[in-house]
Amino acid sequence: MDPTQPTSASGILASQGQAAPRTAGEEAAPSVSSRSGYFRWVICVLLLFGTTKNYMDRWVISALKTTLQHDLGWSEINYSNLVFAFQGAYAIGMLVVGRFIDRVGTRLGYAIVMVFWSLASMAHAVGSSFSSFLLARMALGFGESGVFPASIKAVAEWFPAKERALATGIFNAGTNVGVILAGLSVPWIAVHLGWRWTFVIIGSLGFAWLALWLLVYQRPEDHPRCSQAELEYIRGGRPQPVKKIRWLSLFPFRQTWAFACGKFLTDPIWWFYLFWVPDFLERQHGLHLAQIGVPIVVIYLISDFGSVAGGWLPSFLIRRGASLNAGRKIAMLICAVSITPIAFAYRVSGLWPAVLLIGLAAAGHQGFSANLYTLTSDLFPTRAVGSVVGIGGMAGAVGGMFIAKIVGYVLQWTGSYMIPFFIAASGYLVALAVIQILTPRLEPARIDVEAQT
């Protein structure tokens, strides 16, 4: 990398002749080599495992939708109400849990939410009435809301600004790995042991991850495996702020709203893929539970590529001379354009053309999402990242509540996926336009002393 090229928001402002705000928490271009140590990538893999577990728990009900509708007598509206309840609890959790993780720290905060949502996942196994499933879904949504605030905060703690999008793309790939593993295991468990055991077995995996997390994770300043050279590379030679930032003080910033609006417009589309694609494949292409595993694996393998490639692309562009602002937004634009063909997925006649269109769109989402998440650490100091991710995650979950009702009623009334796929095709371009309007140059938020406690 050209050492004169700005690699953070502070560097961009300096290159444009503006004073970079001291409170933004951005690193200067590091003076030490990236080869000073690699333990931060072990942390990244650990975060990937956590996200994988999160999405395995989340996706079980999607695979079992038809089975549960048959066994428990649910309508399309009933199912959409379960998704709505999950999203509502997820929205509340994002707002509360993100702030909680900022207060108690990444290590303890992530451990607590993992225990909570694993128990909630297992609680589905004892459900027999719609109300019991509703309560279990709400508990699961509330607990699972902690995964991204904790993970993004960990990335902000362990990675320099120029590597954060790639690290986010790698751990975010766990969302696809989780669905792949669930897609392969849930049908087998349900057929051989019954659907209740799927919730018990997959939910209990969280305790194995918990042991690994407590054994491995600490802040880099405290970790015996993080060398001084690697710590200097991570921090870029600049000490991190130690003061906490008041949660309410984050709302006036347009940077907060840029992230929140991006999440509100794009997260619902991912929820749609997650909770309704198995039903689409069954309804439109005649697949049954035992047949759905391979198409799901293909969709999310393609999506994995998009997650990592989307995180790698801005780093590549920056190395070629692009600013951080240009690198982020060009990557997001490429991802948004690649999603537009999903509008035709409901019309294609063959299974595999539909699978490939959905896979391409899911890959575009993951690349877009990796860069959208990284905006929080571009624009805010590390101490505020969990809270900002929580605010944006709440907005995304509220959007997910809307999409749950839209899809449920559209399917109940028309039986067609045309409208949901059109929404999926257009949402990312709209989101990028809003982000550009609110943060045209990705200036860091100017958080003054009064906003800190």
Side-chain angles (χ1 to χ4, degrees):
M1 172 176 291
D2 180 0
T4 65
Q5 174 62 36
T7 58
S8 69
S10 301
I12 294 168
L13 291 177
S15 71
Q16 295 168 343
Q18 302 178 42
R22 295 173 61 88
T23 53
E26 299 298 327
E27 295 87 345
S31 59
V32 294
S33 170
S34 61
R35 298 183 181 276
S36 300
Y38 295 100
F39 193 76
R40 62 192 181 281
W41 296 107
V42 175
I43 299 298
C44 188
V45 172
L46 186 59
L47 297 173
L48 182 146
F49 290 161
T51 311
T52 298
K53 168 63 170 58
N54 183 279
Y55 268 72
M56 290 183 73
D57 289 317
R58 195 176 302 192
W59 195 79
V60 170
I61 200 168
S62 307
L64 296 176
K65 176 178 181 288
T66 303
T67 300
L68 294 173
Q69 283 181 314
H70 177 269
D71 290 358
L72 302 178
W74 297 346
S75 67
E76 293 293 343
I77 303 299
N78 289 141
Y79 181 75
S80 74
N81 285 336
L82 287 175
V83 177
F84 185 89
F86 177 94
Q87 299 287 9
Y90 193 87
I92 295 170
M94 271 289 188
L95 204 58
V96 174
V97 177
R99 184 58 174 165
F100 169 76
I101 289 171
D102 270 343
R103 285 190 174 275
V104 305
T106 311
R107 185 173 187 268
L108 178 59
Y110 203 162
I112 290 172
V113 297
M114 174 63 78
V115 171
F116 188 94
W117 97 59
S118 296
L119 292 174
S121 179
M122 297 170 71
H124 287 69
V126 300
S128 56
S129 66
F130 181 78
S131 60
S132 63
F133 262 86
L134 198 69
L135 290 173
R137 294 309 288 176
M138 291 174 67
L140 182 66
F142 187 84
E144 287 202 342
S145 66
V147 67
F148 284 101
S151 298
I152 297 296
K153 188 174 178 68
V155 167
E157 290 174 349
W158 273 91
F159 288 86
K162 67 179 181 179
E163 291 182 349
R164 287 175 188 166
L166 178 57
T168 300
I170 291 172
F171 90 70
N172 195 42
T175 62
N176 312 310
V177 176
V179 176
I180 290 169
L181 293 178
L184 293 173
S185 60
V186 168
W188 190 93
I189 297 170
V191 169
H192 291 86
L193 301 176
W195 61 261
R196 296 183 189 276
W197 276 102
T198 60
F199 292 106
V200 173
I201 292 172
I202 291 177
S204 64
L205 295 176
F207 297 98
W209 180 92
L210 177 66
L212 188 62
W213 174 258
L214 294 175
L215 180 65
V216 173
Y217 192 87
Q218 296 181 48
R219 284 170 53 86
E221 296 88 343
D222 305 322
H223 208 295
R225 298 292 301 277
C226 181
S227 67
Q228 184 62 33
E230 184 172 16
L231 180 61
E232 290 176 2
Y233 175 70
I234 292 168
R235 296 297 178 235
R238 174 175 296 181
Q240 295 296 291
V242 297
K243 293 183 178 179
K244 295 183 178 180
I245 297 167
R246 290 200 302 270
W247 178 71
L248 289 176
S249 71
L250 298 170
F251 282 90
F253 292 107
R254 53 189 171 81
Q255 291 90 341
T256 302
W257 290 102
F259 177 67
C261 289
K263 296 291 284 180
F264 177 80
L265 291 166
T266 61
D267 273 14
I269 300 168
W270 183 250
W271 298 118
F272 164 63
Y273 298 153
L274 191 68
F275 291 123
W276 271 279
V277 161
D279 178 73
F280 169 75
L281 296 177
E282 291 185 31
R283 184 191 297 253
Q284 198 83 359
H285 298 283
L287 298 186
H288 303 295
L289 179 61
Q291 302 171 307
I292 207 167
V294 174
I296 291 296
V297 168
V298 171
I299 288 171
Y300 287 95
L301 280 175
I302 298 172
S303 183
D304 260 333
F305 173 80
S307 183
V308 177
W312 166 83
L313 182 57
S315 297
F316 171 80
L317 294 173
I318 290 169
R319 286 197 300 270
R320 295 299 183 271
S323 67
L324 181 66
N325 181 49
R328 288 270 184 268
K329 290 176 181 174
I330 290 171
M332 295 171 83
L333 177 61
I334 292 171
C335 292
V337 171
S338 72
I339 293 165
T340 56
I342 193 69
F344 304 103
Y346 80 99
R347 298 185 59 181
V348 298
S349 57
L351 168 65
W352 290 107
V355 166
L356 293 177
L357 282 177
I358 296 169
L360 177 63
H365 169 91
Q366 292 291 63
F368 191 97
S369 182
N371 285 280
L372 180 60
Y373 270 122
T374 308
L375 291 183
T376 60
S377 54
D378 291 336
L379 300 174
F380 291 92
T382 302
R383 284 283 186 178
V385 165
S387 296
V388 175
V389 171
I391 292 168
M394 180 199 68
V398 170
M401 294 166 69
F402 284 115
I403 203 71
K405 302 310 294 181
I406 290 170
V407 175
Y409 279 100
V410 165
L411 292 180
Q412 190 76 16
W413 294 339
T414 70
S416 172
Y417 275 92
M418 179 183 70
I419 293 175
F421 280 126
F422 176 78
I423 294 172
S426 57
Y428 299 84
L429 290 172
V430 176
L432 183 56
V434 172
I435 291 168
Q436 175 62 20
I437 291 169
L438 291 173
T439 57
R441 297 165 66 186
L442 290 188
E443 302 97 335
R446 294 179 178 271
I447 300 176
D448 56 24
V449 175
E450 287 74 20
Q452 304 183 31
T453 58

